[in-house]
């Protein structure tokens, strides 16, 4: 019984060992090749590549590691290869020439199938003639000991590690640059603040020094007495050494102009006389020659306030300056201090006039027109549309009925904006002689011109206008607002025609608007 059990145990152990060894070698072809590559070399087991003759490129002859030769079937066969670790590298060398090689397994240099190769490998493993490898070999050598046998040679060309590591060097450079720039900016702001503090203190000191003579001199002396004062007498009030300081000049000019704005009559003349006697007019003219636009604008304000007529030739070119503030102030200054009522310089403006500029110039022209007739008709010749529009507004605002003929000459080539302003002017003046122009504008495709023409027709229209408005009412597609304007105009011209138009229409909108306009409580709403 014991002998039987021992025999059975040995049989099962032998069977289990055989099955275990059989599972060591993969059955799948791809996994089998990978297993052979892991082994690198197996005794008696090799391989070679075969390429058909019609696919064989001449470039393969240059691959000495493979050594292709012509076989008996007309194809080409590489030499026998025993190192499986080079399998993929050798295969890629062939594939790069657009060739798909056939793999042939060899057992002791004889072609065999993949099953035969696997059986051979299992047999030499079972007999103990070959020990398979299941994982990649790890380095067992002592790398430090090996390195100690080699002489030291620096990997970097630079001696300093800080310089050789360019990333560290770049980051350090950026940090140093940041602190340098920030320190420079802080120092600059500190210096600027100190300078501003000193300047503010000087302005306050100069202001106190100037306050007394400016508050006493104009009240103690008449205009003739101030004009007769010598330079030495003036220096008693305004020291010579201070008059040569630019900041003192700025403070003095600012205070004189501020007081000049508040005073009237002889006091204004006294301040202007002082301004000239102290040579501050030369300071203003010098500022006018500077390049910065803010200094030029400041100079123009000073010249305007002090009526420095001698600066007019220098101001005229500035009306077309590229800076808005310079040219705006230049035109205002010319209008204020020029003795001529000719507006030719406005005619030649190249830049468009803004609404703010037009309001400012209108205020000045209204003032100077009270002192004499202003030559407005020259503006109608301007190539600048905004100047022509401004001229039409001037005619309306100043009530210049004598320029109606000039306005009529504009109607032939007028733009839509000019037509709108002309219609407003004709309505304001009650110009019945321009009714034909109003009728012409009723046919305009511009809604703004069309609506302004209806408003003018309500004031200046006649029976022919009623016919035109009725035709428009029945033939054109009109908005609610335009319908209301037309019906309002018809009511103002002829109430019977207005009432008849409402009764003869099927339009609900027209009927509702008619009821609204007939209602005495709602007609002006």
């Amino acid at each position: 019984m014991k002998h039987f059990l021992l025999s059975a145990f040995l049989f099962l152990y032998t069977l289990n060992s055989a099955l275990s060894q059989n599972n060591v070698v993969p059955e799948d072809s791809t996994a089998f090749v990978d297993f052979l590559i892991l082994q690198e070399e197996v005794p008696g087991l090799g391989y070679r590549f075969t390429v058909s003759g019609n696919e064989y490129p001449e470039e393969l002859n240059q691959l000495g590691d493979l050594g292709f030769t012509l076989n008996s079937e007309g194809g080409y066969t590489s030499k026998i290869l025993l190192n499986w670790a080079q399998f993929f590298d050798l295969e890629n060398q062939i594939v790069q020439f657009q060739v798909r090689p056939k793999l042939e397994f060899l057992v002791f240099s004889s072609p065999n199938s993949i099953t035969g190769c696997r059986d051979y490998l299992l047999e030499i493993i079972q007999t103990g003639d070959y020990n398979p490898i299941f994982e990649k070999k790890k380095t067992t050598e002592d790398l430090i000991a090996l390195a100690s046998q080699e002489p030291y040679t620096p990997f970097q060309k630079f001696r300093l590690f800080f310089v050789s590591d360019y990333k560290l060097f770049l980051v350090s450079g950026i940090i140093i640059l940041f602190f340098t720039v920030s320190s420079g900016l802080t120092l600059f702001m500190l210096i600027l603040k100190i300078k501003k503090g000193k300047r503010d203190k000087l302005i306050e000191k100069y202001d106190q020094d100037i306050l007394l003579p400016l508050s006493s001199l104009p009240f103690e002396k008449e205009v003739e007495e101030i004009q007769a004062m010598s330079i030495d007498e003036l220096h008693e009030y305004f020291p010579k050494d201070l008059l040569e300081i630019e900041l003192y000049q700025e403070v003095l000019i600012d205070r004189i102009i501020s007081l000049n704005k508040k005073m009237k009559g002889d006091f204004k003349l006294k301040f202007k006389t002082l301004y000239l006697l102290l040579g501050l007019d030369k300071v203003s003219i010098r500022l006018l020659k500077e390049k910065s636009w803010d200094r030029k604008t400041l100079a123009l304000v000073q010249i305007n306030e002090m009526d420095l007529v001698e600066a007019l030739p220098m101001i005229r070119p500035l009306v077309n300056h590229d800076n808005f503030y310079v040219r705006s102030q230049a035109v205002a200054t010319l209008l204020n201090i020029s003795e001529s009522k000719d507006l030719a310089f406005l005619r030649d403006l190249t830049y468009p006039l803004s609404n703010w500029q037009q309001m400012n110039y209108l205020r000045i022209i209204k003032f100077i027109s009270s002192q004499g007739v202003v030559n407005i008709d020259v503006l109608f010749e301007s190539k600048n549309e905004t100047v022509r529009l401004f001229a039409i507004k001037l005619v309306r605002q100043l009530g210049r009925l004598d320029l109606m003929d000039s306005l009529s000459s504009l109607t032939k080539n007028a733009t839509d904006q000019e037509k709108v302003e002309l219609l407003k002017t004709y309505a304001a003046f009650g110009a019945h002689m321009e009714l034909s122009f109003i009728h012409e504008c009723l046919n305009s495709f511009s809604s703004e011109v069309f609506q302004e023409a209806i408003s003018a027709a309500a004031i200046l229209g006649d029976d022919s206008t009623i016919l035109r408005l009725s035709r428009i009412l029945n033939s054109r597609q009109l908005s609610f607002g335009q319908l209301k304007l037309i019906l309002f105009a018809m009511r103002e011209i002829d109430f019977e025609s207005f009432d008849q138009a409402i009764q003869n229409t099927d339009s609900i909108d027209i009927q509702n608007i008619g009821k609204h306009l007939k209602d005495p409580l709602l007609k002006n709403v």
Side-chain angles (χ1 to χ4, degrees), residues 146-342:
L146 291 173
S148 65
Q149 298 176 8
E150 294 291 328
Y152 171 74
T153 54
F155 181 72
Q156 299 287 351
K157 295 181 180 179
F158 303 105
R159 294 182 179 178
L160 295 175
F161 175 75
F162 176 75
V163 179
S164 61
D165 190 346
Y166 70 93
K167 291 182 180 178
L168 177 62
F169 180 74
L170 182 62
V171 172
S172 302
I174 293 173
I175 293 172
I176 292 171
L177 179 64
F178 170 76
F179 280 108
T180 303
V181 173
S182 60
S183 300
L185 287 173
T186 304
L187 182 62
F188 174 75
M189 292 174 64
L190 185 62
I191 294 172
L192 200 64
K193 186 175 181 180
I194 293 172
K195 286 186 175 180
K196 186 178 182 301
K198 290 181 178 179
R199 179 183 173 88
D200 292 341
K201 288 181 180 179
L202 282 174
I203 291 175
E204 186 178 353
K205 178 181 178 301
Y206 292 154
D207 198 21
Q208 294 297 325
D209 295 340
I210 292 169
L211 182 60
L212 181 60
L214 284 183
S215 58
S216 60
L217 191 59
F219 292 94
E220 294 174 355
K221 298 181 179 295
E222 298 296 330
V223 176
E224 294 78 8
E225 293 177 323
I226 294 175
Q227 291 175 345
M229 289 179 68
S230 64
I231 298 296
D232 294 334
E233 289 176 325
L234 284 172
H235 287 166
E236 292 178 4
Y237 293 93
F238 307 99
K240 181 181 179 181
D241 56 339
L242 291 179
L243 280 172
E244 295 175 354
I245 299 174
E246 184 176 351
L247 183 59
Y248 183 84
Q249 293 173 351
E250 291 178 7
V251 176
L252 183 57
I253 290 172
D254 186 54
R255 296 301 175 265
I256 290 177
I257 290 177
S258 298
L259 290 170
N260 185 63
K261 289 180 178 179
K262 298 174 183 178
M263 299 297 180
K264 294 182 179 180
D266 289 343
F267 284 101
K268 293 181 73 70
L269 187 56
K270 291 176 183 179
F271 285 119
K272 291 178 182 179
T273 303
L274 274 176
Y275 199 86
L276 295 173
L277 290 175
L278 293 171
L280 299 178
D281 56 329
K282 296 180 178 63
V283 176
S284 299
I285 293 173
R286 186 177 70 246
L287 280 177
L288 195 61
K289 297 177 181 178
E290 294 194 12
K291 293 182 179 180
S292 57
W293 67 268
D294 57 321
R295 305 287 280 177
K296 284 183 180 293
T297 307
L298 178 62
L300 288 167
V301 171
Q302 295 172 2
I303 292 168
N304 185 26
E305 291 295 332
M306 293 292 109
D307 295 336
L308 302 181
V309 181
E310 61 272 17
L312 283 175
M314 298 175 63
I315 298 174
R316 291 186 187 279
L318 297 179
V319 296
N320 283 315
H321 194 274
D322 57 357
N323 184 273
F324 174 83
Y325 299 101
V326 173
R327 63 174 180 266
S328 299
Q329 189 59 47
V331 172
T333 303
L334 281 176
L335 289 173
N336 270 323
I337 68 176
S338 178
E339 296 179 357
S340 172
K341 300 298 188 291
D342 186 12

Side-chain angles (χ1 to χ4, degrees), residues 371-391:
Q371 302 172 359
V373 179
V374 180
N375 186 16
I376 298 175
D377 54 348
V378 70
L379 301 180
F380 298 135
E381 304 170 4
S382 177
K383 296 179 180 179
N384 190 332
E385 182 183 355
T386 58
V387 174
R388 297 195 301 272
L389 288 171
F390 180 56

